[in-house]
Amino acid sequence: MEEASARSFKYKAFLSYRSADREIAVRLHAALEGYRPPRTAGAPRPPLLGRIFRDRDEARTAEDIETIIAQELSNSEQLIVLCTPKSREAGSWVGREIELFRKLRPGAPVHCIIGYGEPPDCFPDQVLIREPDGRVRQPLAADLRKQGDGWRKGVTRLAAGLLGVAFDSLWQREQRRRRQIQASIGAAACLIVISVSVFAVAQATFFDSIRLATVAEANLRAGDPISALPFAIGAQPPRSALMA
C-alpha cells in the first residue's frame, strides 16, 4: 500500500464489465466521473474521484487487447467490477481482467457493484471465496438494484469505497446536501410563482381598465355622459396596480 500511496496513477479505477452490459456501464462511468463529494463543515472537501477507465470502448481497436488491458490495469489505482449474470458467462473478459489486476496490482482494492441478477450468480468466480467445507463467500458489494441500495445510494456506496471514507458519513452528507438543494429550489419556485401572480393580477387589472374605458367611451359617443361616468371611474387602475 505504501507503493500505491507514493505512486501517481493515470486512473482512479478501472471499470470492468461485459459488453452486453454497456448501457449500465456507461451510466455508471458518467456518474462516478461526475461525482462531487459533499463538504464537511470545518473540513476540506474530499478529493474528486478523477478519471475512471472504461475498458472496451477505449481498447476495442487494439490488436492485442490483453496487452493493452494489462497496461491500463497497471495504471489504475483500483478495480471496479460491474457484476451481472453476463459478467460470469464464458467468453467474458471480466474474470481475466480481475486476474490480471491482482497480478499487476497485488493487494490493491477490488470493488464489486451489482448491476442486476441475484447473488451469488451475478458474481464472477474470481471474486467469490470458496471455503473448504464447500460454502461460497460473497464479496461486500454496492447494489444498484431497486431491491438493493438503489442507483443513487449504490453509486454513493461505491464512491465511498473508492475514496476510502465511511459510507454512513458520506451518505448523511449527501442527504443533507440534497435537502439544501431542494430547499433552494423550493424557495426559487415560490419567488417565481409570486412574480407570475403579481404579473397576472397587473395584466388582469390592465385589461379590465381597457374594457371599462371602452364602455365609457361608447356611452359618451351615444350622448349619455351620466351612464359613462361610473365606467370611466372604474377604468382608473387602483394605486396598488400602478405601484406594481
Side-chain angles (χ1 to χ4, degrees), residues 36 68 76 83 92 158:
R36 297 294 183 268
I68 300 298
S76 302
C83 301
S92 171
L158 177 58

Side-chain angles (χ1 to χ4, degrees), residues 7 9-11 14 53 62 64-76 100-101 104-105:
R7 177 180 168 186
F9 289 95
K10 184 178 179 181
Y11 303 105
F14 181 109
F53 182 83
D64 187 350
I65 191 169
E66 187 161 341
T67 301
I68 300 298
I69 289 296
Q71 180 181 351
E72 301 302 354
L73 283 166
S74 67
N75 287 327
S76 302
L100 281 171
F101 183 76
L104 295 165
R105 301 273 296 105

Side-chain angles (χ1 to χ4, degrees), residues 80-102:
I80 302 167
V81 181
L82 178 57
C83 301
T84 72
K86 296 286 186 183
S87 70
R88 58 178 287 123
E89 289 180 349
S92 171
W93 272 90
V94 174
R96 180 59 180 147
E97 287 168 352
I98 296 169
E99 293 171 351
L100 281 171
F101 183 76
R102 285 176 170 165

Side-chain angles (χ1 to χ4, degrees), residues 46 60 66 73 78 82 100 107 115 142 192 203 205 207 210 236:
R60 189 187 298 276
E66 187 161 341
L73 283 166
Q78 304 176 54
L82 178 57
L100 281 171
I192 292 171
Q203 287 287 87
T205 301
F207 287 118
I210 291 177
Q236 300 300 313

